[in-house]
Amino acid sequence: MQKVMSADGTTIAYDRSGTGPAVILVGGGFAERTNPLFVAVAEELSSRFTVFNYDRRGRGDSGDTEPYAVRREIEDLDALIEEAGGSALVFGGSSGGALALEAAHAGSKISKLVVFEPPYVTDGSRAALPSEKEISDLVRAGRRGDAVELFMVKGADVPAEMIGQLREQPFWAGMEDIAHTLAYEAAIVGPGAVPAERFASVTVPTLVLVGAESSPRMQDAARAVDAVLPDSRLATLDGMAHGQLDTKVLSAELADFYSA
């Protein structure tokens, strides 16, 4: 494990592996750098790239500084990019993809970008996603489990009837430990709509990935993101869905796009 300091003094922990052009992996909700998916992707890519797999602020071995702002997370990514040599290839999964897109809009030195299903909502009849305030209020009230449930049911489309079973699982405690960071995901994604005006200025070459087995919401969101980006293409991953990825296939898609 290594650490880099962000602009506000927050320390960001990361693992570095491999040799070659720098790739930075940006996780979404609940993801830490020890997440098996990111560990596997880092391992797959490390034969051709130098991979930076990091804990976003508030998670794992990274620090956290209040008050939160999306800009601070962009600065975290910028600190890693500087550590990587001043520019980097970036992969963002789910809300990590939304963060990477916001960083590209803000001018971060991203040479190429791949995002997998940024979790926006294109259906105007659907209720807004949970807000930063809603989640933060639950956490401050000591109701971390309820904050996780709100995020999962209203933000990640997990059926409400499954929550009782999930609360019984050993991993639930770990999810509660980082419940405060779910407010960060809410701040990044917003109420749901794709921020078309901002993303229309993102000129970074971008590959938008979508799972063939993902929900209509995720597929529609991926298409909407692709439609507003000036330099992007959409690719479908057969047999895959949000949270169900073949890391070998995913890594091959990343390597091919980054090397083209």
Side-chain angles (χ1 to χ4, degrees), residues 58-90:
R59 304 179 192 174
D61 293 301
S62 287
D64 205 3
T65 304
E66 294 185 349
Y68 176 80
V70 176
R71 180 65 214 175
R72 302 290 82 78
E73 287 232 60
I74 294 172
E75 290 169 352
D76 299 344
L77 183 54
D78 286 341
L80 286 159
I81 291 172
E82 186 63 27
E83 190 77 4
S87 67
L89 306 156
V90 172

mmCIF file of all heavy atoms in Angstrom, residues 58-90:
data_model
loop_
_atom_site.group_PDB
_atom_site.id
_atom_site.type_symbol
_atom_site.label_atom_id
_atom_site.label_comp_id
_atom_site.label_asym_id
_atom_site.label_seq_id
_atom_site.Cartn_x
_atom_site.Cartn_y
_atom_site.Cartn_z
ATOM 1 N N GLY A 58 -12.835 8.193 2.650
ATOM 2 C CA GLY A 58 -13.825 7.667 3.583
ATOM 3 C C GLY A 58 -13.892 6.159 3.612
ATOM 4 O O GLY A 58 -14.667 5.583 4.382
ATOM 5 N N ARG A 59 -13.085 5.492 2.778
ATOM 6 C CA ARG A 59 -13.127 4.032 2.698
ATOM 7 C C ARG A 59 -11.742 3.438 2.898
ATOM 8 O O ARG A 59 -10.737 4.083 2.621
ATOM 9 C CB ARG A 59 -13.667 3.583 1.338
ATOM 10 C CG ARG A 59 -15.017 4.137 0.997
ATOM 11 C CD ARG A 59 -15.456 3.659 -0.361
ATOM 12 N NE ARG A 59 -16.612 4.394 -0.829
ATOM 13 C CZ ARG A 59 -17.147 4.270 -2.030
ATOM 14 N NH1 ARG A 59 -16.605 3.421 -2.885
ATOM 15 N NH2 ARG A 59 -18.195 4.973 -2.378
ATOM 16 N N GLY A 60 -11.726 2.176 3.333
ATOM 17 C CA GLY A 60 -10.475 1.444 3.437
ATOM 18 C C GLY A 60 -9.428 2.203 4.231
ATOM 19 O O GLY A 60 -9.669 2.646 5.360
ATOM 20 N N ASP A 61 -8.257 2.379 3.628
ATOM 21 C CA ASP A 61 -7.137 3.030 4.313
ATOM 22 C C ASP A 61 -6.994 4.505 3.957
ATOM 23 O O ASP A 61 -6.013 5.140 4.361
ATOM 24 C CB ASP A 61 -5.840 2.289 3.964
ATOM 25 C CG ASP A 61 -5.809 0.883 4.526
ATOM 26 O OD1 ASP A 61 -5.920 0.737 5.756
ATOM 27 O OD2 ASP A 61 -5.704 -0.076 3.734
ATOM 28 N N SER A 62 -7.932 5.047 3.191
ATOM 29 C CA SER A 62 -7.890 6.473 2.857
ATOM 30 C C SER A 62 -8.522 7.297 3.972
ATOM 31 O O SER A 62 -9.359 6.813 4.732
ATOM 32 C CB SER A 62 -8.619 6.750 1.533
ATOM 33 O OG SER A 62 -7.867 6.275 0.443
ATOM 34 N N GLY A 63 -8.109 8.544 4.053
ATOM 35 C CA GLY A 63 -8.673 9.446 5.043
ATOM 36 C C GLY A 63 -9.966 10.069 4.543
ATOM 37 O O GLY A 63 -10.507 9.706 3.500
ATOM 38 N N ASP A 64 -10.450 11.029 5.312
ATOM 39 C CA ASP A 64 -11.681 11.740 4.958
ATOM 40 C C ASP A 64 -11.639 13.095 5.635
ATOM 41 O O ASP A 64 -11.103 13.220 6.742
ATOM 42 C CB ASP A 64 -12.901 10.952 5.412
ATOM 43 C CG ASP A 64 -14.155 11.266 4.604
ATOM 44 O OD1 ASP A 64 -14.051 12.064 3.658
ATOM 45 O OD2 ASP A 64 -15.224 10.713 4.911
ATOM 46 N N THR A 65 -12.160 14.090 4.987
ATOM 47 C CA THR A 65 -12.158 15.439 5.538
ATOM 48 C C THR A 65 -13.510 16.085 5.282
ATOM 49 O O THR A 65 -13.984 16.090 4.144
ATOM 50 C CB THR A 65 -11.047 16.306 4.886
ATOM 51 O OG1 THR A 65 -9.779 15.655 5.052
ATOM 52 C CG2 THR A 65 -10.994 17.681 5.528
ATOM 53 N N GLU A 66 -14.133 16.598 6.307
ATOM 54 C CA GLU A 66 -15.411 17.294 6.148
ATOM 55 C C GLU A 66 -15.162 18.777 5.907
ATOM 56 O O GLU A 66 -14.152 19.330 6.338
ATOM 57 C CB GLU A 66 -16.270 17.091 7.399
ATOM 58 C CG GLU A 66 -16.692 15.638 7.604
ATOM 59 C CD GLU A 66 -17.631 15.466 8.781
ATOM 60 O OE1 GLU A 66 -17.793 16.433 9.567
ATOM 61 O OE2 GLU A 66 -18.191 14.373 8.920
ATOM 62 N N PRO A 67 -16.097 19.473 5.242
ATOM 63 C CA PRO A 67 -17.305 18.922 4.615
ATOM 64 C C PRO A 67 -16.984 18.283 3.273
ATOM 65 O O PRO A 67 -16.002 18.648 2.618
ATOM 66 C CB PRO A 67 -18.184 20.159 4.430
ATOM 67 C CG PRO A 67 -17.200 21.277 4.209
ATOM 68 C CD PRO A 67 -16.018 20.950 5.085
ATOM 69 N N TYR A 68 -17.825 17.334 2.883
ATOM 70 C CA TYR A 68 -17.627 16.660 1.605
ATOM 71 C C TYR A 68 -18.017 17.571 0.443
ATOM 72 O O TYR A 68 -18.935 18.378 0.540
ATOM 73 C CB TYR A 68 -18.472 15.383 1.534
ATOM 74 C CG TYR A 68 -18.358 14.712 0.183
ATOM 75 C CD1 TYR A 68 -17.254 13.917 -0.114
ATOM 76 C CD2 TYR A 68 -19.322 14.902 -0.807
ATOM 77 C CE1 TYR A 68 -17.111 13.321 -1.364
ATOM 78 C CE2 TYR A 68 -19.185 14.301 -2.059
ATOM 79 C CZ TYR A 68 -18.078 13.527 -2.332
ATOM 80 O OH TYR A 68 -17.942 12.945 -3.562
ATOM 81 N N ALA A 69 -17.307 17.418 -0.658
ATOM 82 C CA ALA A 69 -17.677 18.066 -1.913
ATOM 83 C C ALA A 69 -17.172 17.204 -3.052
ATOM 84 O O ALA A 69 -16.099 16.590 -2.948
ATOM 85 C CB ALA A 69 -17.066 19.470 -2.015
ATOM 86 N N VAL A 70 -17.929 17.122 -4.117
ATOM 87 C CA VAL A 70 -17.510 16.335 -5.270
ATOM 88 C C VAL A 70 -16.153 16.817 -5.767
ATOM 89 O O VAL A 70 -15.305 16.019 -6.192
ATOM 90 C CB VAL A 70 -18.564 16.399 -6.388
ATOM 91 C CG1 VAL A 70 -18.086 15.654 -7.628
ATOM 92 C CG2 VAL A 70 -19.896 15.825 -5.914
ATOM 93 N N ARG A 71 -15.927 18.114 -5.686
ATOM 94 C CA ARG A 71 -14.656 18.679 -6.139
ATOM 95 C C ARG A 71 -13.481 18.038 -5.407
ATOM 96 O O ARG A 71 -12.404 17.829 -5.986
ATOM 97 C CB ARG A 71 -14.658 20.195 -5.918
ATOM 98 C CG ARG A 71 -13.378 20.897 -6.361
ATOM 99 C CD ARG A 71 -13.171 20.810 -7.859
ATOM 100 N NE ARG A 71 -11.747 20.708 -8.185
ATOM 101 C CZ ARG A 71 -11.279 20.522 -9.399
ATOM 102 N NH1 ARG A 71 -12.109 20.429 -10.423
ATOM 103 N NH2 ARG A 71 -9.984 20.435 -9.618
ATOM 104 N N ARG A 72 -13.677 17.709 -4.099
ATOM 105 C CA ARG A 72 -12.592 17.085 -3.338
ATOM 106 C C ARG A 72 -12.241 15.714 -3.912
ATOM 107 O O ARG A 72 -11.079 15.321 -3.948
ATOM 108 C CB ARG A 72 -12.981 16.945 -1.867
ATOM 109 C CG ARG A 72 -13.348 18.240 -1.148
ATOM 110 C CD ARG A 72 -12.152 19.157 -0.923
ATOM 111 N NE ARG A 72 -11.828 19.959 -2.102
ATOM 112 C CZ ARG A 72 -12.490 21.055 -2.480
ATOM 113 N NH1 ARG A 72 -13.525 21.475 -1.789
ATOM 114 N NH2 ARG A 72 -12.110 21.721 -3.556
ATOM 115 N N GLU A 73 -13.263 14.967 -4.357
ATOM 116 C CA GLU A 73 -12.987 13.644 -4.939
ATOM 117 C C GLU A 73 -12.283 13.774 -6.291
ATOM 118 O O GLU A 73 -11.454 12.925 -6.648
ATOM 119 C CB GLU A 73 -14.288 12.864 -5.095
ATOM 120 C CG GLU A 73 -14.845 12.370 -3.769
ATOM 121 C CD GLU A 73 -15.154 10.887 -3.803
ATOM 122 O OE1 GLU A 73 -14.231 10.075 -4.031
ATOM 123 O OE2 GLU A 73 -16.319 10.561 -3.604
ATOM 124 N N ILE A 74 -12.609 14.818 -7.014
ATOM 125 C CA ILE A 74 -11.895 15.064 -8.270
ATOM 126 C C ILE A 74 -10.432 15.382 -7.969
ATOM 127 O O ILE A 74 -9.517 14.915 -8.661
ATOM 128 C CB ILE A 74 -12.571 16.208 -9.056
ATOM 129 C CG1 ILE A 74 -13.974 15.764 -9.517
ATOM 130 C CG2 ILE A 74 -11.711 16.633 -10.243
ATOM 131 C CD1 ILE A 74 -14.798 16.869 -10.137
ATOM 132 N N GLU A 75 -10.200 16.140 -6.911
ATOM 133 C CA GLU A 75 -8.819 16.452 -6.519
ATOM 134 C C GLU A 75 -8.073 15.193 -6.078
ATOM 135 O O GLU A 75 -6.859 15.083 -6.296
ATOM 136 C CB GLU A 75 -8.825 17.493 -5.410
ATOM 137 C CG GLU A 75 -9.265 18.871 -5.887
ATOM 138 C CD GLU A 75 -9.527 19.856 -4.765
ATOM 139 O OE1 GLU A 75 -9.516 19.447 -3.591
ATOM 140 O OE2 GLU A 75 -9.758 21.047 -5.075
ATOM 141 N N ASP A 76 -8.787 14.251 -5.451
ATOM 142 C CA ASP A 76 -8.156 12.975 -5.097
ATOM 143 C C ASP A 76 -7.658 12.268 -6.354
ATOM 144 O O ASP A 76 -6.524 11.767 -6.401
ATOM 145 C CB ASP A 76 -9.148 12.060 -4.374
ATOM 146 C CG ASP A 76 -9.674 12.639 -3.072
ATOM 147 O OD1 ASP A 76 -9.072 13.602 -2.558
ATOM 148 O OD2 ASP A 76 -10.690 12.119 -2.578
ATOM 149 N N LEU A 77 -8.527 12.212 -7.359
ATOM 150 C CA LEU A 77 -8.140 11.579 -8.623
ATOM 151 C C LEU A 77 -6.997 12.339 -9.274
ATOM 152 O O LEU A 77 -6.048 11.739 -9.813
ATOM 153 C CB LEU A 77 -9.353 11.508 -9.551
ATOM 154 C CG LEU A 77 -9.159 10.814 -10.900
ATOM 155 C CD1 LEU A 77 -8.601 9.412 -10.740
ATOM 156 C CD2 LEU A 77 -10.478 10.783 -11.671
ATOM 157 N N ASP A 78 -7.033 13.661 -9.207
ATOM 158 C CA ASP A 78 -5.948 14.464 -9.777
ATOM 159 C C ASP A 78 -4.617 14.170 -9.086
ATOM 160 O O ASP A 78 -3.563 14.133 -9.736
ATOM 161 C CB ASP A 78 -6.264 15.957 -9.646
ATOM 162 C CG ASP A 78 -7.330 16.420 -10.623
ATOM 163 O OD1 ASP A 78 -7.576 15.717 -11.618
ATOM 164 O OD2 ASP A 78 -7.917 17.499 -10.389
ATOM 165 N N ALA A 79 -4.653 13.959 -7.760
ATOM 166 C CA ALA A 79 -3.421 13.642 -7.025
ATOM 167 C C ALA A 79 -2.843 12.314 -7.498
ATOM 168 O O ALA A 79 -1.621 12.170 -7.645
ATOM 169 C CB ALA A 79 -3.702 13.600 -5.525
ATOM 170 N N LEU A 80 -3.714 11.351 -7.761
ATOM 171 C CA LEU A 80 -3.253 10.064 -8.284
ATOM 172 C C LEU A 80 -2.712 10.201 -9.705
ATOM 173 O O LEU A 80 -1.712 9.577 -10.066
ATOM 174 C CB LEU A 80 -4.398 9.055 -8.241
ATOM 175 C CG LEU A 80 -4.742 8.533 -6.850
ATOM 176 C CD1 LEU A 80 -6.158 7.967 -6.835
ATOM 177 C CD2 LEU A 80 -3.745 7.479 -6.405
ATOM 178 N N ILE A 81 -3.378 11.011 -10.515
ATOM 179 C CA ILE A 81 -2.902 11.249 -11.874
ATOM 180 C C ILE A 81 -1.515 11.882 -11.851
ATOM 181 O O ILE A 81 -0.627 11.501 -12.619
ATOM 182 C CB ILE A 81 -3.902 12.128 -12.656
ATOM 183 C CG1 ILE A 81 -5.201 11.352 -12.923
ATOM 184 C CG2 ILE A 81 -3.294 12.622 -13.965
ATOM 185 C CD1 ILE A 81 -6.312 12.184 -13.513
ATOM 186 N N GLU A 82 -1.312 12.827 -10.954
ATOM 187 C CA GLU A 82 0.006 13.456 -10.824
ATOM 188 C C GLU A 82 1.041 12.418 -10.390
ATOM 189 O O GLU A 82 2.163 12.390 -10.904
ATOM 190 C CB GLU A 82 -0.060 14.601 -9.807
ATOM 191 C CG GLU A 82 1.207 15.421 -9.701
ATOM 192 C CD GLU A 82 1.562 16.146 -10.990
ATOM 193 O OE1 GLU A 82 0.657 16.461 -11.781
ATOM 194 O OE2 GLU A 82 2.777 16.393 -11.213
ATOM 195 N N GLU A 83 0.656 11.560 -9.453
ATOM 196 C CA GLU A 83 1.546 10.492 -8.990
ATOM 197 C C GLU A 83 1.893 9.542 -10.140
ATOM 198 O O GLU A 83 2.991 8.967 -10.186
ATOM 199 C CB GLU A 83 0.877 9.735 -7.848
ATOM 200 C CG GLU A 83 1.761 8.760 -7.115
ATOM 201 C CD GLU A 83 2.726 9.434 -6.154
ATOM 202 O OE1 GLU A 83 2.661 10.677 -5.993
ATOM 203 O OE2 GLU A 83 3.550 8.720 -5.558
ATOM 204 N N ALA A 84 0.943 9.384 -11.064
ATOM 205 C CA ALA A 84 1.126 8.470 -12.199
ATOM 206 C C ALA A 84 1.953 9.078 -13.322
ATOM 207 O O ALA A 84 2.240 8.387 -14.304
ATOM 208 C CB ALA A 84 -0.238 8.038 -12.735
ATOM 209 N N GLY A 85 2.301 10.364 -13.200
ATOM 210 C CA GLY A 85 3.137 10.982 -14.220
ATOM 211 C C GLY A 85 2.521 12.168 -14.922
ATOM 212 O O GLY A 85 3.108 12.721 -15.852
ATOM 213 N N GLY A 86 1.314 12.571 -14.505
ATOM 214 C CA GLY A 86 0.712 13.777 -15.063
ATOM 215 C C GLY A 86 -0.450 13.549 -15.990
ATOM 216 O O GLY A 86 -1.188 14.485 -16.322
ATOM 217 N N SER A 87 -0.653 12.305 -16.436
ATOM 218 C CA SER A 87 -1.844 11.952 -17.200
ATOM 219 C C SER A 87 -2.071 10.459 -17.010
ATOM 220 O O SER A 87 -1.149 9.718 -16.669
ATOM 221 C CB SER A 87 -1.709 12.289 -18.688
ATOM 222 O OG SER A 87 -0.732 11.465 -19.293
ATOM 223 N N ALA A 88 -3.310 10.015 -17.236
ATOM 224 C CA ALA A 88 -3.610 8.600 -17.007
ATOM 225 C C ALA A 88 -4.836 8.175 -17.785
ATOM 226 O O ALA A 88 -5.698 8.984 -18.140
ATOM 227 C CB ALA A 88 -3.830 8.337 -15.518
ATOM 228 N N LEU A 89 -4.891 6.897 -18.038
ATOM 229 C CA LEU A 89 -6.098 6.236 -18.519
ATOM 230 C C LEU A 89 -6.946 5.932 -17.292
ATOM 231 O O LEU A 89 -6.400 5.633 -16.225
ATOM 232 C CB LEU A 89 -5.721 4.935 -19.236
ATOM 233 C CG LEU A 89 -4.688 5.063 -20.358
ATOM 234 C CD1 LEU A 89 -3.977 3.738 -20.586
ATOM 235 C CD2 LEU A 89 -5.350 5.555 -21.632
ATOM 236 N N VAL A 90 -8.256 6.013 -17.430
ATOM 237 C CA VAL A 90 -9.121 5.852 -16.257
ATOM 238 C C VAL A 90 -10.268 4.906 -16.573
ATOM 239 O O VAL A 90 -10.844 4.944 -17.668
ATOM 240 C CB VAL A 90 -9.668 7.215 -15.775
ATOM 241 C CG1 VAL A 90 -10.720 7.040 -14.679
ATOM 242 C CG2 VAL A 90 -8.526 8.089 -15.257
#
